[in-house]
Amino acid sequence: MKKVFTKQWFKAAGIRALKTVCQTAVATIGTSAILSTVDWRIVVSASVLSGVVSILTSFAGLPEVKEE
């Protein structure tokens, strides 16, 4: 049985989502030729969306959380 909504699951899912958000932000910023041309609304929007998708994907299971 999958352990969801436990302290361990929230910690693992949160860390995974935060890493995904940061990776998306770096990738989105990196697509601009000059830092002043970065569209920060797009960076924030894409990053938040990737975090939400990461959390939703975590419901399928996290290898960091042991199943019993």
Coordinates of all heavy atoms in Angstrom, one line a residue:
M1 N 0.8 -1.2 0.0 CA 0.0 0.0 0.0 C 0.9 1.2 0.0 O 1.9 1.3 0.7 CB -0.9 0.0 1.2 CG -1.9 1.1 1.3 SD -3.0 0.8 2.7 CE -3.6 2.4 2.9
K2 N 0.5 2.2 -0.8 CA 1.3 3.4 -0.9 C 1.1 4.3 0.3 O -0.1 4.5 0.7 CB 1.0 4.2 -2.2 CG 1.4 3.4 -3.5 CD 1.0 4.2 -4.7 CE 1.3 3.4 -5.9 NZ 0.9 4.0 -7.1
K3 N 2.1 4.9 0.8 CA 2.0 5.9 1.9 C 1.9 7.3 1.3 O 2.9 7.8 0.7 CB 3.2 5.8 2.8 CG 3.3 4.6 3.6 CD 4.4 4.7 4.6 CE 4.4 3.6 5.6 NZ 5.5 3.7 6.5
V4 N 0.8 7.9 1.4 CA 0.5 9.2 0.9 C 0.0 10.0 2.1 O -0.6 9.5 3.0 CB -0.5 9.3 -0.2 CG1 -0.7 10.7 -0.7 CG2 0.0 8.4 -1.4
F5 N 0.4 11.3 2.1 CA 0.0 12.2 3.2 C 0.7 11.9 4.5 O 0.1 12.2 5.6 CB -1.5 12.3 3.3 CG -2.2 12.8 2.1 CD1 -3.2 12.1 1.5 CD2 -1.8 14.0 1.5 CE1 -3.8 12.5 0.3 CE2 -2.4 14.5 0.4 CZ -3.4 13.7 -0.2
T6 N 1.8 11.2 4.5 CA 2.6 11.1 5.7 C 3.6 12.2 5.8 O 3.9 12.9 4.8 CB 3.3 9.7 5.8 OG1 4.2 9.6 4.7 CG2 2.3 8.6 5.7
K7 N 4.2 12.3 6.9 CA 5.3 13.4 7.1 C 6.4 13.1 6.1 O 6.9 14.0 5.4 CB 5.8 13.4 8.5 CG 6.8 14.5 8.8 CD 7.1 14.5 10.3 CE 8.1 15.6 10.6 NZ 8.5 15.6 11.9
Q8 N 6.8 11.8 5.9 CA 7.8 11.4 5.0 C 7.5 11.7 3.6 O 8.3 12.2 2.8 CB 8.2 10.0 5.2 CG 9.3 9.5 4.3 CD 9.6 8.0 4.5 OE1 8.7 7.3 5.0 NE2 10.7 7.5 4.0
W9 N 6.2 11.5 3.2 CA 5.7 11.7 1.9 C 5.8 13.2 1.5 O 6.2 13.7 0.5 CB 4.3 11.2 1.6 CG 3.8 11.3 0.2 CD1 4.0 10.5 -0.8 CD2 3.1 12.5 -0.3 NE1 3.4 11.0 -1.9 CE2 2.9 12.2 -1.7 CE3 2.6 13.6 0.2 CZ2 2.2 13.1 -2.5 CZ3 2.0 14.5 -0.6 CH2 1.7 14.2 -1.9
F10 N 5.2 14.1 2.5 CA 5.2 15.5 2.3 C 6.6 16.1 2.1 O 6.9 16.9 1.3 CB 4.5 16.2 3.4 CG 3.0 16.3 3.3 CD1 2.2 15.5 4.1 CD2 2.4 17.1 2.3 CE1 0.8 15.6 3.9 CE2 1.0 17.1 2.1 CZ 0.2 16.4 3.0
K11 N 7.6 15.6 2.9 CA 8.9 16.0 2.8 C 9.5 15.6 1.5 O 10.1 16.5 0.8 CB 9.8 15.4 4.0 CG 11.2 15.9 4.0 CD 12.0 15.4 5.1 CE 13.4 15.9 5.1 NZ 14.2 15.3 6.2
A12 N 9.4 14.4 1.1 CA 10.0 13.9 -0.2 C 9.3 14.6 -1.4 O 10.0 15.1 -2.3 CB 9.8 12.4 -0.3
A13 N 8.0 14.8 -1.4 CA 7.3 15.4 -2.5 C 7.6 16.9 -2.5 O 7.8 17.5 -3.6 CB 5.8 15.2 -2.3
G14 N 7.8 17.5 -1.4 CA 8.1 18.9 -1.3 C 9.5 19.2 -1.9 O 9.7 20.1 -2.7
I15 N 10.5 18.4 -1.5 CA 11.8 18.5 -2.0 C 11.9 18.3 -3.5 O 12.5 19.0 -4.2 CB 12.8 17.5 -1.3 CG1 13.0 18.0 0.2 CG2 14.1 17.4 -2.0 CD1 13.7 16.9 1.0
R16 N 11.2 17.3 -4.0 CA 11.1 17.0 -5.4 C 10.5 18.1 -6.2 O 11.0 18.5 -7.2 CB 10.4 15.7 -5.6 CG 10.3 15.2 -7.1 CD 9.7 13.9 -7.1 NE 10.6 12.9 -6.7 CZ 10.9 11.8 -7.4 NH1 10.3 11.6 -8.6 NH2 11.7 10.9 -6.9
A17 N 9.4 18.7 -5.6 CA 8.7 19.8 -6.3 C 9.6 21.0 -6.3 O 9.7 21.7 -7.4 CB 7.4 20.1 -5.6
L18 N 10.3 21.3 -5.2 CA 11.2 22.5 -5.2 C 12.3 22.4 -6.2 O 12.6 23.3 -6.9 CB 11.7 22.7 -3.8 CG 12.6 23.9 -3.6 CD1 11.9 25.2 -3.9 CD2 13.2 23.9 -2.1
K19 N 12.9 21.2 -6.3 CA 13.9 21.0 -7.3 C 13.4 21.2 -8.7 O 14.1 21.8 -9.5 CB 14.5 19.6 -7.2 CG 15.4 19.4 -6.0 CD 15.9 17.9 -5.9 CE 16.7 17.7 -4.7 NZ 17.2 16.3 -4.7
T20 N 12.2 20.7 -9.0 CA 11.6 20.9 -10.3 C 11.3 22.3 -10.6 O 11.6 22.8 -11.7 CB 10.3 20.0 -10.4 OG1 10.6 18.7 -10.1 CG2 9.6 20.2 -11.7
V21 N 10.8 23.1 -9.6 CA 10.5 24.5 -9.8 C 11.8 25.2 -10.1 O 11.9 26.0 -11.0 CB 9.9 25.1 -8.5 CG1 9.9 26.6 -8.6 CG2 8.5 24.6 -8.4
C22 N 12.9 24.9 -9.4 CA 14.2 25.6 -9.6 C 14.7 25.3 -11.0 O 15.2 26.1 -11.7 CB 15.2 25.2 -8.5 SG 14.7 25.9 -6.9
Q23 N 14.7 24.0 -11.4 CA 15.2 23.6 -12.7 C 14.4 24.3 -13.8 O 15.0 24.7 -14.8 CB 15.1 22.1 -12.8 CG 16.0 21.3 -11.9 CD 15.7 19.8 -11.9 OE1 14.7 19.4 -12.3 NE2 16.7 19.1 -11.3
T24 N 13.1 24.4 -13.6 CA 12.3 25.1 -14.6 C 12.6 26.5 -14.7 O 12.7 27.1 -15.8 CB 10.8 24.9 -14.3 OG1 10.5 23.5 -14.3 CG2 9.9 25.5 -15.4
A25 N 12.8 27.2 -13.6 CA 13.2 28.6 -13.6 C 14.5 28.8 -14.3 O 14.6 29.7 -15.1 CB 13.2 29.1 -12.2
V26 N 15.5 28.0 -14.0 CA 16.8 28.1 -14.6 C 16.7 27.9 -16.1 O 17.2 28.7 -16.9 CB 17.8 27.1 -14.0 CG1 19.1 27.0 -14.8 CG2 18.1 27.5 -12.6
A27 N 15.9 26.9 -16.6 CA 15.7 26.6 -18.0 C 15.0 27.8 -18.7 O 15.4 28.2 -19.8 CB 15.0 25.3 -18.2
T28 N 14.0 28.3 -18.0 CA 13.2 29.4 -18.6 C 14.0 30.7 -18.7 O 14.0 31.4 -19.8 CB 11.9 29.6 -17.9 OG1 11.2 28.4 -17.7 CG2 11.0 30.6 -18.6
I29 N 14.8 31.0 -17.7 CA 15.6 32.2 -17.7 C 16.7 32.0 -18.8 O 17.1 32.9 -19.5 CB 16.2 32.4 -16.3 CG1 15.2 32.9 -15.3 CG2 17.3 33.5 -16.4 CD1 15.6 32.8 -13.9
G30 N 17.2 30.8 -18.9 CA 18.3 30.5 -19.8 C 17.9 30.7 -21.3 O 18.8 30.8 -22.2
T31 N 16.6 30.7 -21.6 CA 16.2 30.9 -23.0 C 16.3 32.3 -23.4 O 16.1 32.6 -24.6 CB 14.7 30.4 -23.2 OG1 13.8 31.1 -22.4 CG2 14.6 28.9 -22.9
S32 N 16.5 33.3 -22.5 CA 16.6 34.7 -22.9 C 18.1 35.0 -23.2 O 19.0 34.5 -22.5 CB 16.2 35.6 -21.7 OG 14.8 35.4 -21.5
A33 N 18.3 35.8 -24.2 CA 19.7 36.1 -24.6 C 20.3 37.1 -23.6 O 21.5 37.0 -23.3 CB 19.7 36.7 -26.0
I34 N 19.5 38.0 -23.1 CA 19.9 39.0 -22.1 C 19.0 39.0 -20.9 O 17.8 38.9 -21.0 CB 19.9 40.4 -22.8 CG1 20.7 40.4 -24.0 CG2 20.4 41.5 -21.8 CD1 20.6 41.7 -24.9
L35 N 19.6 39.1 -19.7 CA 18.9 39.0 -18.5 C 17.7 40.1 -18.4 O 16.7 39.8 -17.9 CB 19.8 39.2 -17.3 CG 19.2 38.9 -15.9 CD1 18.6 37.5 -15.8 CD2 20.2 39.2 -14.8
S36 N 18.0 41.2 -19.1 CA 16.9 42.3 -19.0 C 15.7 41.9 -19.9 O 14.7 42.6 -19.8 CB 17.5 43.6 -19.5 OG 18.0 43.5 -20.8
T37 N 15.9 40.9 -20.8 CA 14.7 40.5 -21.6 C 13.9 39.4 -21.1 O 13.0 38.9 -21.7 CB 15.2 40.2 -23.1 OG1 16.1 39.0 -23.0 CG2 16.0 41.3 -23.7
V38 N 14.3 38.9 -19.9 CA 13.6 37.8 -19.3 C 12.1 38.3 -18.9 O 11.9 39.3 -18.3 CB 14.3 37.4 -18.0 CG1 13.4 36.3 -17.2 CG2 15.6 36.8 -18.3
D39 N 11.2 37.5 -19.4 CA 9.8 37.7 -19.1 C 9.5 37.0 -17.7 O 9.2 35.8 -17.7 CB 8.8 37.3 -20.2 CG 7.4 37.7 -19.9 OD1 7.0 38.0 -18.8 OD2 6.6 37.7 -20.9
W40 N 9.5 37.7 -16.6 CA 9.5 37.1 -15.3 C 8.1 36.5 -15.1 O 8.0 35.5 -14.3 CB 9.8 38.1 -14.2 CG 11.3 38.5 -14.3 CD1 11.8 39.6 -14.8 CD2 12.4 37.6 -14.0 NE1 13.2 39.5 -14.8 CE2 13.6 38.4 -14.3 CE3 12.5 36.4 -13.4 CZ2 14.8 37.9 -14.0 CZ3 13.8 35.9 -13.2 CH2 14.9 36.6 -13.5
R41 N 7.0 37.0 -15.7 CA 5.7 36.4 -15.5 C 5.7 34.9 -16.1 O 5.1 34.0 -15.5 CB 4.6 37.2 -16.2 CG 4.4 38.6 -15.5 CD 3.5 39.4 -16.3 NE 4.1 39.7 -17.6 CZ 3.5 40.1 -18.7 NH1 2.2 40.3 -18.7 NH2 4.1 40.3 -19.8
I42 N 6.4 34.8 -17.2 CA 6.5 33.4 -17.8 C 7.3 32.5 -16.9 O 7.0 31.3 -16.7 CB 7.0 33.5 -19.3 CG1 6.0 34.2 -20.2 CG2 7.4 32.1 -19.8 CD1 6.4 34.4 -21.6
V43 N 8.4 33.0 -16.4 CA 9.3 32.2 -15.5 C 8.5 31.7 -14.3 O 8.5 30.6 -14.0 CB 10.5 33.0 -15.1 CG1 11.3 32.3 -14.0 CG2 11.4 33.4 -16.3
V44 N 7.8 32.7 -13.7 CA 7.0 32.3 -12.5 C 5.9 31.3 -12.8 O 5.7 30.3 -12.2 CB 6.5 33.6 -11.8 CG1 5.5 33.2 -10.7 CG2 7.7 34.4 -11.2
S45 N 5.2 31.6 -13.9 CA 4.1 30.8 -14.3 C 4.5 29.4 -14.6 O 4.0 28.4 -14.2 CB 3.4 31.4 -15.5 OG 2.4 30.6 -16.0
A46 N 5.6 29.2 -15.4 CA 6.1 27.9 -15.8 C 6.6 27.2 -14.6 O 6.4 26.0 -14.5 CB 7.1 28.0 -16.9
S47 N 7.3 27.9 -13.7 CA 7.9 27.2 -12.5 C 6.8 26.7 -11.6 O 6.9 25.6 -11.1 CB 8.8 28.2 -11.8 OG 9.8 28.6 -12.7
V48 N 5.8 27.6 -11.3 CA 4.7 27.1 -10.5 C 3.9 26.0 -11.1 O 3.6 25.0 -10.3 CB 3.7 28.3 -10.2 CG1 2.4 27.8 -9.5 CG2 4.4 29.4 -9.3
L49 N 3.7 26.0 -12.3 CA 3.0 24.9 -13.0 C 3.8 23.6 -12.9 O 3.2 22.6 -12.6 CB 2.7 25.2 -14.5 CG 2.0 24.2 -15.3 CD1 0.7 23.8 -14.7 CD2 1.9 24.6 -16.7
S50 N 5.1 23.7 -13.1 CA 5.9 22.5 -13.0 C 5.9 21.9 -11.5 O 5.9 20.7 -11.3 CB 7.4 22.8 -13.4 OG 8.0 23.6 -12.5
G51 N 5.8 22.8 -10.5 CA 5.7 22.4 -9.2 C 4.4 21.7 -8.9 O 4.4 20.6 -8.2
V52 N 3.3 22.2 -9.4 CA 2.0 21.5 -9.3 C 2.0 20.2 -9.9 O 1.6 19.2 -9.4 CB 0.9 22.4 -9.8 CG1 -0.4 21.7 -9.9 CG2 0.8 23.7 -9.0
V53 N 2.6 20.1 -11.1 CA 2.7 18.8 -11.9 C 3.5 17.8 -11.1 O 3.2 16.6 -11.0 CB 3.2 19.0 -13.3 CG1 3.5 17.7 -14.0 CG2 2.2 19.8 -14.1
S54 N 4.6 18.3 -10.5 CA 5.5 17.4 -9.7 C 4.7 16.8 -8.5 O 4.8 15.6 -8.2 CB 6.7 18.2 -9.2 OG 7.5 17.4 -8.4
I55 N 4.0 17.7 -7.8 CA 3.2 17.2 -6.6 C 2.2 16.2 -7.1 O 2.0 15.1 -6.5 CB 2.5 18.3 -5.9 CG1 3.5 19.3 -5.2 CG2 1.5 17.8 -4.9 CD1 4.3 18.6 -4.1
L56 N 1.5 16.5 -8.2 CA 0.5 15.5 -8.7 C 1.1 14.2 -9.1 O 0.5 13.1 -8.9 CB -0.3 16.1 -9.9 CG -1.2 17.3 -9.5 CD1 -1.8 17.9 -10.8 CD2 -2.3 16.9 -8.5
T57 N 2.3 14.3 -9.7 CA 3.0 13.1 -10.1 C 3.4 12.2 -8.9 O 3.5 11.0 -9.0 CB 4.2 13.4 -11.0 OG1 3.8 14.2 -12.1 CG2 5.0 12.2 -11.5
S58 N 3.7 12.9 -7.8 CA 4.1 12.2 -6.6 C 3.0 11.3 -6.0 O 3.3 10.4 -5.3 CB 4.5 13.2 -5.5 OG 5.7 13.9 -6.0
F59 N 1.8 11.6 -6.4 CA 0.7 10.7 -5.9 C 0.9 9.3 -6.5 O 0.4 8.3 -5.9 CB -0.7 11.2 -6.3 CG -1.1 12.4 -5.5 CD1 -1.2 13.6 -6.0 CD2 -1.4 12.2 -4.1 CE1 -1.6 14.7 -5.2 CE2 -1.8 13.3 -3.3 CZ -1.9 14.5 -3.9
A60 N 1.5 9.2 -7.6 CA 1.8 7.8 -8.2 C 2.8 7.0 -7.4 O 2.9 5.8 -7.6 CB 2.2 8.0 -9.7
G61 N 3.5 7.7 -6.6 CA 4.5 7.0 -5.8 C 5.9 7.8 -5.8 O 6.2 8.4 -6.8
L62 N 6.6 7.7 -4.7 CA 7.9 8.2 -4.6 C 8.9 7.2 -4.2 O 8.6 6.5 -3.2 CB 7.9 9.4 -3.6 CG 7.1 10.6 -3.9 CD1 7.0 11.5 -2.7 CD2 7.8 11.4 -5.0
P63 N 9.9 7.0 -4.9 CA 10.9 5.9 -4.5 C 11.5 6.2 -3.1 O 12.0 5.3 -2.5 CB 11.9 6.0 -5.6 CG 11.7 7.2 -6.4 CD 10.3 7.6 -6.1
E64 N 11.5 7.5 -2.7 CA 12.1 7.9 -1.4 C 11.3 7.4 -0.3 O 11.8 7.3 0.9 CB 12.3 9.4 -1.3 CG 13.1 10.0 -2.4 CD 12.4 10.5 -3.6 OE1 11.2 10.0 -3.8 OE2 12.9 11.3 -4.4
V65 N 10.0 7.1 -0.5 CA 9.1 6.7 0.5 C 8.9 5.2 0.5 O 8.4 4.7 -0.5 CB 7.7 7.5 0.4 CG1 6.7 7.0 1.5 CG2 7.9 9.0 0.5
K66 N 9.3 4.5 1.5 CA 9.2 3.1 1.5 C 7.7 2.6 1.6 O 7.0 3.2 2.4 CB 10.0 2.5 2.7 CG 11.4 3.0 2.8 CD 12.3 2.1 1.9 CE 13.7 2.4 2.1 NZ 14.3 3.3 1.1
E67 N 7.4 1.6 0.8 CA 6.1 1.1 0.9 C 6.1 -0.1 1.8 O 7.1 -0.9 1.9 CB 5.6 0.6 -0.5 CG 5.3 1.8 -1.4 CD 4.8 1.4 -2.7 OE1 4.1 0.3 -2.8 OE2 5.0 2.1 -3.7
E68 N 5.0 -0.3 2.6 CA 4.9 -1.5 3.5 C 3.9 -2.5 3.0 O 3.0 -2.2 2.4 CB 4.6 -1.0 4.9 CG 5.8 -0.3 5.5 CD 5.4 0.2 6.9 OE1 4.3 -0.1 7.4 OE2 6.3 0.8 7.5

